């Protein structure tokens, strides 16, 4: 079975490495190529590809040319464009589509979360906060321009790759890549006198250390909710679920 995995998360890497050891699956792993020195799964070079496909048409052409049997969308839950393209291209090429989607984080007792639908609304929310302390932004480097008009707050911006667009006048950029410990997150928040945290609800089996640190420090969180998943797509939450769906699919096609 030839499988194309659309990656961009640690969970996608784990899936690719896990499926590699099974003789019945031949994996190709794809990345957008946005990150310098991206973390890659343990696969031979010829099973890795980097860069966009060229829209729905490009992806459906690739699925056909590479005789892909199953497309697995294991992109980040906020990669809306790629996920929408995966739905359309799989339909056009007549290829089965699975989505790997980890469950969203849910608030625990003591959390002070404000839910917002997108980064723009998150930026408007924190700019209006009465608390003048630093805003810790962990929503990625792509939409930072949304915060650029806030002259009142200092910002601590954490990203994997250096941002290149407009930023708020008072900012500190920290380039780093997780996983992070609760202690390290708490220390970082204390050092920068953080009074608010902004994060996307990216989900995952373990609760993010930044959320636990924020709860313990009484820091309010502006939580950007993930877009709704496309209707009708077979969805798995874990690698075990993906394996079950793949095995179910091959049993059905053998009958
Ligand atoms: P996006 O807006 O959904 O996609 C933009 C374009 O990037 C797509 O149209 C596609 O180009 C290309 N692309 C995206 N993922 C790809 C993949 N796995 N393989 C090949 N091409 C891909 O995506 P984004 O939000 O910019 O994110 C880019 C990548 O970073 C994604 O793979 C995502 O999983 C990862 N990521 C995103 C976030 C986030 O918050 N958005 C956070 C962490 C990681 P073509 O149309 O030319 O095919």
């Amino acid at each position: 079975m030839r499988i194309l995995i659309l990656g961009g998360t640690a969970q996608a890497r784990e899936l690719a490495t896990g499926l590699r050891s099974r003789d019945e699956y031949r994996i190709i792993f794809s990345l957008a190529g946005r990150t310098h020195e991206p973390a890659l799964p343990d696969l031979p070079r010829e099973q890795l590809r980097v860069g966009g496909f060229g829209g729905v048409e490009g992806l459906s052409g690739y699925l056909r040319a590479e005789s892909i049997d199953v497309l697995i969308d294991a992109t980040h839950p906020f990669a809306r464009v790629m996920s929408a393209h995966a739905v359309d291209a799989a339909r056009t090429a007549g290829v089965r589509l699975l989505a790997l989607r980890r469950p969203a984080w849910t608030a625990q007792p003591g959390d002070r979360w404000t839910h917002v639908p997108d980064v723009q609304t998150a930026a408007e929310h924190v700019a209006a906060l009465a608390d003048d302390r630093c805003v810790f932004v962990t929503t990625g480097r792509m939409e930072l321009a949304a915060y650029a008009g806030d002259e009142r707050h200092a910002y601590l911006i954490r990203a994997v790759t250096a941002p290149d667009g407009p930023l708020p006048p008072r900012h500190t950029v920290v380039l780093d890549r997780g996983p992070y410990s609760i202690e390290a997150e708490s220390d970082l928040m204390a050092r920068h006198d953080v009074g608010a945290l902004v994060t996307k609800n990216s989900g995952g089996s373990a609760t993010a250390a930044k959320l636990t640190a924020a709860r313990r420090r009484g820091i309010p969180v502006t939580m950007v909710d993930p877009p709704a998943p496309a209707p009708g797509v077979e969805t798995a939450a874990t690698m075990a679920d993906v394996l079950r769906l793949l095995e179910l699919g091959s049993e059905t096609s053998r009958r």
Side-chain angles (χ1 to χ4, degrees):
M1 188 185 290
R2 291 174 67 82
I3 300 177
L4 173 62
I5 299 177
L6 302 173
T9 58
Q11 205 185 11
R13 286 197 300 281
E14 284 158 21
L15 175 67
T17 305
L19 291 181
R20 181 198 174 176
S21 56
R22 298 177 166 244
D23 290 343
E24 63 271 42
Y25 304 128
R26 160 88 184 175
I27 308 299
I28 301 176
F29 187 86
S30 175
L31 280 179
R34 295 273 168 82
T35 311
H36 300 301
E37 296 180 20
L40 293 168
D42 181 18
L43 285 176
R45 184 67 198 91
E46 65 274 14
Q47 286 172 246
L48 298 167
R49 66 166 302 288
V50 178
F53 295 91
V56 174
E57 209 177 310
L59 178 55
S60 57
Y62 183 91
L63 295 173
R64 288 200 185 101
E66 295 293 326
S67 305
I68 300 296
D69 300 297
V70 180
L71 174 62
I72 302 183
D73 174 9
T75 58
H76 190 270
F78 283 80
R80 299 166 200 250
V81 178
M82 191 70 244
S83 293
H85 287 184
V87 171
D88 292 343
R91 191 178 302 130
T92 305
V95 164
R96 185 175 177 205
L97 172 65
L98 305 181
L100 180 59
R101 291 280 175 260
R102 46 202 186 178
W105 296 313
T106 50
Q108 308 293 311
D111 278 332
R112 298 167 60 199
W113 291 7
T114 301
H115 292 270
V116 293
D118 51 42
V119 169
Q120 182 60 44
T121 313
E124 286 160 16
H125 178 75
V126 291
L129 288 175
D131 188 337
D132 279 341
R133 287 183 299 157
C134 177
V135 179
F136 182 17
V137 170
T138 62
T139 47
R141 78 183 167 108
M142 297 304 290
E143 295 167 90
L144 291 171
Y147 306 91
D150 183 5
E151 297 179 351
R152 197 158 55 87
H153 295 94
Y155 280 78
L156 172 65
I157 296 166
R158 183 165 66 197
V160 175
T161 304
D164 49 12
L167 297 176
R170 291 198 294 139
H171 68 261
T172 303
V173 174
V174 178
L175 297 183
D176 208 351
R177 194 196 298 258
Y180 306 103
S181 70
I182 297 167
E183 290 68 31
E185 294 292 62
S186 193
D187 285 354
L188 184 71
M189 290 175 189
R191 249 190 344 270
H192 290 269
D193 192 24
V194 166
L197 168 68
V198 190
T199 178
K200 289 176 174 170
N201 192 336
S202 305
S205 51
T207 302
K210 61 187 166 187
L211 297 177
T212 307
R215 182 187 317 127
R216 289 184 185 169
R217 302 186 70 81
I219 292 173
V221 176
T222 307
M223 182 64 73
V224 184
D225 288 330
V233 175
E234 289 179 274
T235 302
T238 62
M239 173 150 155
D241 291 347
V242 172
L243 286 173
R244 237 187 328 271
L245 286 172
L246 289 174
E247 278 156 20
L248 271 177
S250 44
E251 271 171 29
T252 314
S253 59
R254 272 201 297 274
R255 273 187 214 134

